[in-house]
Amino acid sequence: MAQTEPPKAARLWREAALRARKLRDEPELEPEPEPNAEDSGPPGGPPQPPSIAPAARRAALGELEALNLSGRGLQELPEEVGAALSGLRVLSLRRNRLSRLPLAALRHLGRLAELDLSHNRLRGLGDGGALGGLRGLRKLSLSHNELGAEGAGALGELGRLEELDLSFNRLRRLPEGLGRLRHLRALDVDHNQLAAFPAVLLELAALEELDCSGNRHLGVLPEGIAALRRLKILWLSGTGLAALPEGLCQLGALESLMLDGNQLRALPAGFGSLQRLKMLNLSSNLLAEFPAAVLALPGLEELYLSRNQLTMLPPRLCQLRQLRTLWLDNNRIRYLPDSIVLLHSLEELVLQGNQIAILPEGFGQLSRVTLWKIKDNPLIQPPYEVCMKGIPYIAAYQQELAHSQPALKPRLKLVLMGPKDAGKTLLRRCLMEEDGQKEDLGSLDAGSTQPRGCPGQQQDAGRAPAACCPFPEDASQQDLPSHVPSHRGKGEAPCPAPPPDASQVPSGPGLSGSKGIEVMDWTADAERGLTFIVYELAGDPSYDVIQSFFLSPGALYVLVVNLSAYVPQHFYPSVGYFLHWLGSKVPHAVVCMVGTHADLCAERELEEKCLDIHHQIAQQEKRDAEGLQSLVQQVDEALGQDFDLRCSSPHAAFYGVSDKNLRRKKAQFQYLLNHRPQILSPVLPFSCRDRCQVRRLRDKLLSVAEHRDIFPNLHRVLPKSWQVLEELHFQPRAQQLWLSWWDSARLGLQAGLTEDRLQSALSYLHESGKLLYFEEHLTLREYVFHNLPRLIDILNVFCQQDATVLLQKLLSDSHIDELRAAQLHHYVEGFLLHGLLPAHVIRLLLKPHVQSREDLQLILELLEKMGLCYCVNKPKCKPLNGAAAWYKFPCYVKNEVPHAEAWIHGANLSGQSFVVEQLQIEYSFPFIFPPGLFARYSVQINSHVVQRSDGKYQIYAYRGKVPVVVSYRPARGALQPDTLSIASHASLPNIWTAWQAITPLVEELNVLLQEWPGLYYTVHVLCSKCLKRGSPNPHTFPGELLSQPRPEGLTEIICPKNGSERVNVALVYPPTPTVISPCSK
């Protein structure tokens, strides 16, 4: 069949693209080829489309109306182009290298209506002749150039211009001729160097939109601004305004007004006359009182008052009935007016960073609110655990409070943490015995000290690598041992026995420390009903994987250090590491330092060691704060640069990172700086032999707990029904490990809760650590795990790395023969080496907690949810047909390199050199790598990968047919951070498949890292060229680029490590930007 001629439109665009390619390479038009030569095509190839005769081609180009030559690297536009495109109406030349206006070409474009010359290098506009010829020009963009005042004078000739963008230039004043633009509707002059408000702007009577933001020295608005009566949008952010003129109040058409980032203390009296105003931004000013004039704006829909000095809101706030957005974060507001609940149109309400303790009654009426931020407030009614869940949960709480009387039961979480052999167990027992509560040391459940708990566990990380500190000390502090060795032999009993009245606490070598995690109630003050829920965290690193479940806001942390064994050289693993660990998980945590075994130290030695710890804590905090301040300064310097400058060279700091992402990064650093750990006092010496020291510590803990400014949550108000529901779940103590939803619902009825009101109560008890209820999990939401001590016993089993203890559990049945015993011994060896166990052996380990196969399956679902294990042979759609289900516990994997057998055709990625392009995202942790993160991450990604093979620090797997590698590299020196990387590879045309493979894994890691709000880490995209060369220190591109679209027209990026190599942009930017930057919280 004969080939038909392509459609006219397609042919014209093809010719335009060909011509643009030629223009980029050389400035002159090439002669037209002979038609036959073009038609013939390459020898042996397919026939080419029929060519167009030169005369016809010129005629077709003359009919072209729109042409986009953006990002072509053009340094000039030849006159021949303008002559050939005389009918052009829209021309884009943005992101090129034009240093002067293409005057000759523009003379032929008399019909041009829109011209985009942004993101070039223009310093002037010539004599004005060329621009003056563009009589029909209506839209002109000259933003992001280098224009000074002398270079913009020709603009006055464009009499029909309606939109003009001069933003991000170097203008100190505007040309006088600008006042002749009688049809100008929109003018953007933001981020220039204007020293005063240009008087010429007052002549633009048709102006509807004006942006002067970022001109920091503007200072004052003239009264004559009232002349701009058609103005609808006015942006004056960051212009140094200290007051507003009354003339501003005469802009009756104004709909949007941006005044953020100034020094305003009040609004003019006539501000209420702006009756058409819909959006008002007054954030980052100096307002101490809510501007009363704002209440006279009934049509206001958006109001931003963040980062001011407001202490209260007016009761008449409800007059703003059209308000959809209200931002009041980072003020000093103590309470909200009751009338706020009448703002029924509200969709965004941001209140974080204030001093609000109680929300008004009926707050749940704000049912349309979808954006809700309330953290960093001393909330007691509702408690923070309720507020964080959103408006529906607040509504349920307030409704329940109306049904039943409020209940006050002061309880506070008390967490004992520190390295192994620090003396935590003995300290806990001495404190509780001093209070008269006798505890049977042989049983966790004995006496009146009820074991309690929250899922998860502590890592008493005795093995703190010294390199975790991002701003290291001198060389003497580096490469420290993984933990402080005990000087007293086994156990935590070097303390001599207490006096006779405390004789219930034994001592000596026979008393060992805690076995895993222990949780119990301690009524520290019976008169006031103050109860501590005491969590004693073990010091064994094998508990890392579940530690994060025990570290939560609103708790009092006691960091215990063994003074008799302490030496200054071991400060970091004994104290500093735990402060980093706690600070990254719980920003602004309240910490009390306690030094045990004080009776084994001489008086002077005791004083010196306490002072040394105090001094080194101060030094570490100073180093960390200075390091963060330095990072803030670097971000500020980058924000002070033009975005184009940051994009001009990969050598630039924060290459290509947008202002939005930089501001987000700065906010993260500021948050870390403002939420340092609250270390209450120097080290308190403690000895079980000295009753005065025991009482002093007890009194100290009570005084801190009752301090309303430190622990407002101690006085939280709960509905009586919720408190009764909790007591019913624990008294009498049920032996079951869990209750079904319906069993819990029956208890709810006894507490006065109907089924529809039970959900919110269980949600609160879960968030506050009283029980476990996973309301969003398909299987687990049908159960309530109320017996946390027994659950903690189960977790302790799977953090136990002593083969003897595990075998004792498995061989407890006297009927096991030798063959069976040998097989179980083999299973234990495999478990401790590879982390693998079949389901039936897990069932034996969990006796007597698990009685049936259904019990076992539920427990395994729970362990997988918590990140402890995953099923290696779980079927996708049908049962295992009798085959044994095997479970992998990544925290037990000891082999350094994964088994290659899991790879298709035996391919081993670790031994091959990448002949295709490698894509690698690297997370770097300068302060501390979250304990147990790699093991939990290994479980979380299991649903995304197949044919995986796990090593101690690496995972090889496939996403479909695309290989992926996850690698953790511990720090190799004091100046190097821990890193976790996610890599894949593909040929360059198919690199999108590698992005598709690693993106879900990146998202899973980001979700896990959200559990560590105080953690500082960075994300980078590694240079593929450096990786291919095998460079030990490849260049890194900022991870923020993952959330940004690929720059228009950019195809390659120069690698700064080797200026001759260019990296394809597809190896740095993903095809589709991620929703949020992985570097952000």
Side-chain angles (χ1 to χ4, degrees):
M1 181 181 291
Q3 188 169 2
T4 60
E5 184 173 338
K8 179 180 178 181
R11 185 171 69 250
L12 292 177
W13 279 111
R14 175 177 175 273
E15 295 301 324
L18 288 173
R19 183 168 296 277
R21 190 184 313 159
K22 294 173 184 176
L23 290 175
R24 182 178 56 190
D25 296 333
E26 48 185 287
E28 296 187 4
L29 294 173
E30 297 178 357
E32 300 290 345
E34 292 295 326
N36 292 336
E38 187 175 346
D39 287 345
S40 61
Q48 300 297 311
S51 65
I52 305 175
R57 180 178 298 174
R58 283 192 293 272
L61 288 176
E63 298 177 10
L64 199 65
E65 294 189 351
L67 180 61
N68 184 358
L69 294 176
S70 302
R72 301 287 179 174
L74 298 177
Q75 297 183 9
E76 61 180 38
L77 193 66
E79 182 176 2
E80 292 87 342
V81 176
L85 301 171
S86 57
L88 210 60
R89 296 186 60 80
V90 179
L91 175 60
S92 177
L93 293 167
R94 69 194 306 265
R95 293 194 182 277
N96 281 291
R97 302 174 186 172
L98 301 174
S99 58
R100 62 179 184 271
L101 208 61
L103 302 176
L106 292 178
R107 288 193 179 96
H108 298 277
L109 302 178
R111 299 182 59 191
L112 206 61
E114 296 184 16
L115 176 59
D116 189 347
L117 288 163
S118 61
H119 296 271
N120 277 283
R121 303 172 182 176
L122 300 176
R123 296 186 177 181
L125 301 181
D127 58 4
L131 281 180
L134 302 178
R135 299 294 183 181
L137 198 65
R138 287 182 166 83
K139 184 175 181 180
L140 174 61
S141 177
L142 293 164
S143 70
H144 294 85
N145 277 283
E146 302 172 12
L147 297 176
E150 68 284 351
L155 296 174
E157 305 298 324
L158 303 174
R160 302 185 67 181
L161 200 63
E162 296 178 2
E163 299 181 29
L164 175 59
D165 187 352
L166 292 169
S167 60
F168 290 92
N169 278 284
R170 301 173 182 175
L171 299 173
R172 295 183 181 276
R173 56 184 176 81
L174 297 182
E176 296 297 330
L178 207 63
R180 299 197 297 271
L181 303 181
R182 302 301 183 187
H183 298 282
L184 196 65
R185 294 185 298 102
L187 175 61
D188 191 346
V189 291
D190 71 289
H191 289 86
N192 277 279
Q193 301 172 14
L194 301 177
F197 190 86
V200 69
L201 296 183
L202 304 181
E203 303 175 26
L204 302 175
L207 205 60
E208 296 179 1
E209 301 178 16
L210 175 60
D211 187 353
C212 294
S213 301
N215 291 281
R216 302 177 183 178
H217 306 293
L218 209 60
V220 178
L221 289 182
E223 286 287 347
I225 198 172
L228 304 178
R229 297 191 177 276
R230 295 188 182 181
L231 207 59
K232 295 180 179 179
I233 298 175
L234 177 58
W235 284 24
L236 295 165
S237 306
T239 51
L241 298 176
L244 300 176
E246 285 291 340
L248 181 71
C249 306
Q250 300 178 32
L251 300 178
L254 204 60
E255 297 178 359
S256 179
L257 179 57
M258 295 281 287
L259 293 167
D260 55 303
N262 287 291
Q263 290 98 44
L264 298 175
R265 297 179 181 274
L267 297 181
F271 196 84
S273 61
L274 301 176
Q275 290 293 294
R276 294 190 182 182
L277 200 62
K278 295 182 179 180
M279 192 280 287
L280 175 61
N281 191 339
L282 290 166
S283 297
S284 300
N285 277 282
L286 304 175
L287 299 171
E289 296 182 359
F290 189 95
V294 172
L295 301 176
L297 305 174
L300 199 63
E301 298 178 1
E302 301 177 44
L303 177 59
Y304 302 90
L305 285 162
S306 307
R307 297 177 298 280
N308 277 281
Q309 301 171 14
L310 304 179
T311 58
M312 59 181 297
L313 301 178
R316 294 188 297 135
L317 187 66
C318 60
Q319 294 178 197
L320 304 177
R321 297 190 179 276
Q322 304 299 318
L323 205 61
R324 294 185 293 105
T325 300
L326 179 59
W327 287 51
L328 295 163
D329 56 289
N330 295 288
N331 280 280
R332 304 170 185 173
I333 301 171
R334 289 188 171 273
Y335 65 90
L336 301 175
D338 294 340
S339 60
I340 196 172
V341 304
L342 301 177
L343 298 176
H344 299 303
S345 299
L346 212 56
E347 298 174 3
E348 297 183 15
L349 181 56
V350 178
L351 297 169
Q352 68 186 35
N354 281 285
Q355 300 172 23
I356 301 169
I358 300 175
L359 297 182
E361 292 184 13
F363 202 80
Q365 297 178 36
L366 302 176
S367 57
R368 299 183 62 180
V369 171
T370 54
L371 179 62
W372 162 248
K373 297 184 180 181
I374 191 63
K375 68 177 183 178
D376 297 330
N377 279 283
L379 293 160
I380 62 173
Q381 185 178 343
Y384 176 73
E385 293 86 353
V386 174
C387 294
M388 64 177 289
K389 299 286 287 185
I391 301 298
Y393 288 84
I394 294 174
Y397 166 90
Q398 292 186 330
Q399 290 170 8
E400 193 59 41
L401 208 57
H403 278 90
S404 63
Q405 62 186 28
L408 288 171
K409 188 175 182 180
R411 285 179 298 183
L412 188 67
K413 183 176 179 180
L414 177 67
V415 182
L416 304 179
M417 57 191 302
K420 194 173 183 180
D421 298 330
K424 300 183 293 295
T425 302
L426 200 54
L427 182 146
R428 171 178 58 83
R429 290 170 176 169
C430 286
L431 280 175
M432 299 175 70
E433 290 298 331
E434 171 67 20
D435 198 53
Q437 298 189 30
K438 306 300 182 183
E439 176 188 356
D440 182 358
L441 298 177
S443 171
L444 187 69
D445 296 309
S448 63
T449 54
Q450 291 184 350
R452 300 287 298 245
C454 155
Q457 121 128 36
Q458 164 234 345
Q459 159 222 352
D460 253 2
R463 58 129 177 83
C468 291
C469 182
F471 311 109
E473 306 179 28
D474 58 14
S476 65
Q477 293 292 331
Q478 301 172 10
D479 302 323
L480 298 178
S482 61
H483 65 281
V484 177
S486 172
H487 291 187
R488 299 290 170 183
K490 283 187 180 181
E492 293 192 353
C495 270
D501 62 324
S503 60
Q504 300 295 329
V505 183
S507 65
L511 176 62
S512 62
S514 65
K515 303 298 183 183
I517 306 163
E518 297 190 52
V519 185
M520 56 193 61
D521 287 350
W522 170 34
T523 303
D525 191 327
E527 292 182 3
R528 286 171 287 186
L530 175 57
T531 300
F532 285 111
I533 305 174
V534 183
Y535 290 69
E536 183 192 336
L537 306 184
D540 193 331
S542 61
Y543 290 84
D544 285 358
V545 69
I546 50 176
Q547 65 162 346
S548 61
F549 295 100
F550 279 95
L551 303 181
S552 59
L556 172 56
Y557 293 88
V558 177
L559 179 50
V560 182
V561 58
N562 184 345
L563 289 178
S564 68
Y566 173 79
V567 290
Q569 292 80 2
H570 292 169
F571 164 80
Y572 190 75
S574 300
V575 178
Y577 169 79
F578 289 93
L579 293 177
H580 275 160
W581 170 41
L582 179 59
S584 59
K585 186 66 173 65
V586 186
H588 221 45
V590 181
V591 186
C592 182
M593 295 292 307
V594 176
T596 56
H597 310 311
D599 57 304
L600 301 181
C601 301
E603 184 176 350
R604 182 170 181 178
E605 177 190 7
L606 185 67
E607 182 180 353
E608 289 177 350
K609 288 185 175 182
C610 290
L611 286 175
D612 179 79
I613 293 173
H614 181 65
H615 173 73
Q616 292 209 50
I617 288 175
Q619 289 296 314
Q620 175 171 295
E621 283 297 299
K622 181 181 177 182
R623 282 194 307 275
D624 293 351
E626 289 176 348
L628 290 170
Q629 287 283 10
S630 175
L631 294 172
V632 171
Q633 184 177 354
Q634 293 175 27
V635 175
D636 280 336
E637 292 173 356
L639 283 170
Q641 298 173 342
D642 181 28
F643 176 69
D644 277 356
L645 183 59
R646 289 201 301 276
C647 296
S648 61
S649 169
H651 293 275
F654 303 107
Y655 165 76
V657 180
S658 67
D659 286 354
K660 179 180 179 180
N661 272 332
L662 281 178
R663 286 192 293 268
R664 184 181 290 154
K665 198 175 189 71
K666 179 181 177 180
Q668 178 190 352
F669 293 149
Q670 292 286 7
Y671 178 82
L672 296 180
L673 278 169
N674 296 335
H675 291 79
R676 305 302 301 159
Q678 303 177 75
I679 303 170
L680 298 178
S681 64
V683 181
L684 292 175
F686 179 86
S687 169
C688 294
R689 182 181 293 275
D690 190 334
R691 175 182 286 186
C692 292
Q693 289 184 348
V694 175
R695 289 181 176 174
R696 184 179 64 174
L697 177 58
R698 175 182 171 277
D699 292 342
K700 176 70 174 179
L701 297 178
L702 287 172
S703 66
V704 171
E706 293 175 338
H707 198 296
R708 283 183 175 267
D709 291 338
I710 300 177
F711 288 111
N713 58 309
L714 182 68
H715 307 277
R716 69 187 70 185
V717 179
L718 293 178
K720 183 69 174 179
S721 55
W722 289 16
Q723 182 180 321
V724 173
L725 179 69
E726 178 187 352
E727 294 171 351
L728 288 173
H729 276 84
F730 299 115
Q731 297 176 359
R733 202 158 219 22
Q735 293 302 309
Q736 313 95 294
L737 185 55
W738 59 77
L739 298 174
S740 70
W741 163 264
W742 297 110
D743 290 336
S744 186
R746 281 190 284 271
L747 294 178
L749 288 175
Q750 295 180 41
L753 289 166
T754 56
E755 183 182 336
D756 59 319
R757 291 152 51 201
L758 179 65
Q759 180 96 0
S760 55
L762 290 176
S763 175
Y764 165 75
L765 293 175
H766 170 86
E767 295 296 341
S768 57
K770 307 302 190 307
L771 49 74
L772 285 184
Y773 173 58
F774 300 99
E775 56 185 305
E776 297 179 358
H777 192 280
L778 187 62
T779 303
L780 298 178
R781 67 186 180 190
E782 299 298 327
Y783 300 90
V784 177
F785 297 87
H786 67 296
N787 198 335
L788 295 185
R790 289 189 63 191
L791 178 60
I792 289 173
D793 288 344
I794 290 175
L795 298 179
N796 286 335
V797 168
F798 291 109
C799 293
Q800 175 61 251
Q801 299 200 15
D802 188 333
T804 303
V805 175
L806 293 174
L807 282 171
Q808 285 177 352
K809 290 180 176 292
L810 294 175
L811 300 177
S812 58
D813 191 340
S814 59
H815 301 291
I816 294 180
D817 56 29
E818 292 185 7
L819 180 61
R820 179 63 171 161
Q823 187 180 28
L824 292 175
H825 192 278
H826 174 72
Y827 281 139
V828 169
E829 288 181 344
F831 178 53
L832 295 178
L833 184 61
H834 304 295
L836 280 170
L837 272 182
H840 66 277
V841 176
I842 295 176
R843 184 173 176 179
L844 290 176
L845 280 174
L846 295 183
K847 282 187 175 181
H849 302 294
V850 171
Q851 302 295 334
S852 66
R853 181 175 298 179
E854 291 73 19
D855 292 351
L856 176 64
Q857 191 58 42
L858 190 60
I859 285 295
L860 290 172
E861 288 266 6
L862 179 61
L863 295 179
E864 190 166 352
K865 168 71 175 175
M866 297 174 66
L868 265 71
C869 67
Y870 64 88
C871 184
V872 298
N873 57 346
K874 181 183 291 185
K876 298 296 182 183
C877 55
K878 57 183 179 180
L880 290 169
N881 297 323
W886 284 77
Y887 286 83
K888 183 88 165 185
F889 293 78
C891 57
Y892 279 89
V893 177
K894 295 296 189 297
N895 50 317
E896 298 290 337
V897 180
H899 297 298
E901 294 79 21
W903 287 77
I904 297 178
H905 309 306
N908 189 344
L909 211 59
S910 64
Q912 76 177 44
S913 60
F914 286 97
V915 295
V916 291
E917 301 293 348
Q918 184 173 357
L919 191 63
Q920 185 165 335
I921 311 298
E922 183 177 84
Y923 287 69
S924 179
F925 301 86
F927 275 69
I928 185 173
F929 185 79
L933 176 66
F934 186 73
R936 287 188 63 202
Y937 182 54
S938 176
V939 174
Q940 294 300 113
I941 66 173
N942 188 59
S943 61
H944 297 287
V945 299
V946 295
Q947 298 178 342
R948 64 182 289 170
S949 180
D950 291 28
K952 184 176 182 180
Y953 293 141
Q954 281 186 316
I955 303 168
Y956 294 159
Y958 281 90
R959 280 267 302 155
K961 296 182 179 180
V962 182
V964 291
V965 184
V966 178
S967 303
Y968 166 58
R969 185 178 65 184
R972 298 179 182 177
L975 297 177
Q976 293 183 340
D978 297 72
T979 60
L980 194 154
S981 63
I982 306 165
S984 183
H985 68 268
S987 61
L988 186 57
N990 294 319
I991 198 64
W992 62 272
T993 61
W995 281 112
Q996 195 175 53
I998 69 172
T999 298
L1001 308 189
V1002 170
E1003 292 174 349
E1004 287 287 357
L1005 182 54
N1006 293 339
V1007 170
L1008 275 180
L1009 290 174
Q1010 296 300 312
E1011 298 179 7
W1012 297 80
L1015 178 69
Y1016 169 58
Y1017 62 93
T1018 59
V1019 186
H1020 295 97
V1021 182
L1022 301 192
C1023 172
S1024 63
K1025 298 294 184 182
C1026 294
L1027 294 172
K1028 188 176 288 188
R1029 286 200 317 268
S1031 171
N1033 296 303
H1035 176 67
T1036 58
F1037 297 98
E1040 285 84 2
L1041 301 183
L1042 296 174
S1043 64
Q1044 298 178 195
R1046 294 179 182 176
E1048 186 179 343
L1050 184 66
T1051 57
E1052 293 178 331
I1053 304 173
I1054 297 175
C1055 173
K1057 293 289 180 71
N1058 188 338
S1060 63
E1061 289 186 324
R1062 296 176 178 269
V1063 183
N1064 191 286
V1065 70
L1067 297 169
V1068 179
Y1069 290 85
T1072 304
T1074 57
V1075 175
I1076 189 171
S1077 171
C1079 307
S1080 302
K1081 295 292 183 185

